[in-house]
Amino acid sequence: MRFHDRTEAGRELALRLKERAATGEFPDTVVLALPRGGVPVAAQVARALDAPLDVLVVRKIGLPGRPEAGIGAIVGDDQPLFDRRVLEMLGLSEHRLAPDVQRERAELHRRALLYRGDRSAPDVRDRTVILVDDGLATGATARAALRHLRRLAPARLILAVPVGAAESCAEMRSAADDVVCLYQPSDFQAVGLWYEDFEQVSDDEVTGTLHELSTSKHDS
């Protein structure tokens, strides 16, 4: 099973969530996307549930010299969340990674300002929060996002992805109240392998999608 693109994946994920929402399972819902790849997926979910859409910007912290290999993540001004086992295995310390954290935090704030402007982040207290991404690999960014959101006291916290590594999905169940994953292939390897079109999502696409859904909610 492969999805054509993130929009198709979002539609299929939205169908699963809408079935559950019809039973009253998700009252007072807000949909949060992990940008950039999670935004086209989350947009379909927000439309199907008639729920507001916003973003939660998370930045991966990569290995020095290998930024694609995530060993941690940061959200807002939270302390970094590292994979301690990997740090110990590689002989790395938080102090050694401080410059990387500082650089990623600066990029995080830049993107948050770009995507949200002067709008404040949505109040999620006592609400159902559905956190959406385009897939779940190691779970580093999702874990940091869930930890951040849990502190904001939502009534229910749900992680929803079209595809994910089975082990990571299982691990996320301790951080979220529920994990919705349509497909957990045994030979997962990487998120992009399960999409025919996995082109990078641009900042313009993110801001355009957020503006479009914000306007449609306001008009309705």
Side-chain angles (χ1 to χ4, degrees), residues 78-159:
D78 291 0
Q79 289 296 312
L81 183 62
F82 288 108
D83 187 326
R84 298 288 173 185
R85 292 172 297 178
V86 174
L87 290 187
E88 292 177 8
M89 184 174 63
L90 297 176
L92 290 171
S93 67
E94 291 192 32
H95 178 73
R96 167 68 178 81
L97 294 167
D100 303 84
V101 172
Q102 185 176 11
R103 182 179 63 253
E104 293 301 339
R105 200 182 298 279
E107 176 62 13
L108 184 153
H109 288 309
R110 182 195 73 82
R111 290 197 185 192
L113 180 62
L114 174 64
Y115 299 155
R116 189 176 288 119
D118 58 1
R119 290 186 299 109
S120 59
D123 183 4
V124 302
R125 179 177 291 274
D126 297 327
R127 302 181 73 179
T128 300
V129 176
I130 301 180
L131 181 68
V132 179
D133 203 356
D134 55 12
L136 188 69
T138 65
T141 53
R143 187 177 294 105
L146 291 168
R147 181 186 70 167
H148 174 82
L149 291 168
R150 183 66 74 188
R151 291 173 179 162
L152 303 180
R156 196 165 183 210
L157 184 54
I158 298 157
L159 176 64

